[in-house]
Amino acid sequence: GLLGIRIYDNGKGIKSENLGNEFSLFKYEKTLNTGSELILASNLVEELNGSINLESEEFKFTELSLKINVIKN
């Protein structure tokens, strides 16, 4: 089966010029001066044969979507 998780935040969002670098450690940290949480999350989700997607619009929202394949026993 497939497990889907959606996290939505209506905060300040991410500038459009910074999108596309969120899963690249060096580009993202230098651009946004943040930690590597998204990179770690992305690596974990990929190890679980899933997918991760980030959408954002500055001053409006950020949405993180995760999809992970789960196995029934």
Side-chain angles (χ1 to χ4, degrees), residues 32-67:
L32 298 178
N33 195 25
T34 66
S36 57
E37 295 85 1
L38 286 176
I39 293 97
L40 294 173
S42 176
N43 289 339
L44 178 60
V45 168
E46 287 178 13
E47 287 290 322
L48 297 170
N49 296 317
S51 63
I52 186 168
N53 185 48
L54 182 72
E55 293 183 41
S56 187
E57 189 172 332
E58 189 176 15
F59 304 116
K60 292 192 176 183
F61 74 94
T62 300
E63 181 178 27
L64 181 69
S65 301
L66 304 166
K67 293 181 184 174

Side-chain angles (χ1 to χ4, degrees), residues 2-29:
L2 187 65
L3 171 65
I5 300 170
R6 207 173 113 203
I7 302 166
Y8 186 90
D9 176 345
N10 61 352
K12 65 179 183 174
I14 299 172
K15 293 180 181 180
S16 60
E17 62 263 20
N18 293 334
L19 287 174
N21 295 326
E22 61 272 5
F23 302 112
S24 173
L25 181 60
F26 298 107
K27 291 180 183 178
Y28 192 66
E29 283 191 48

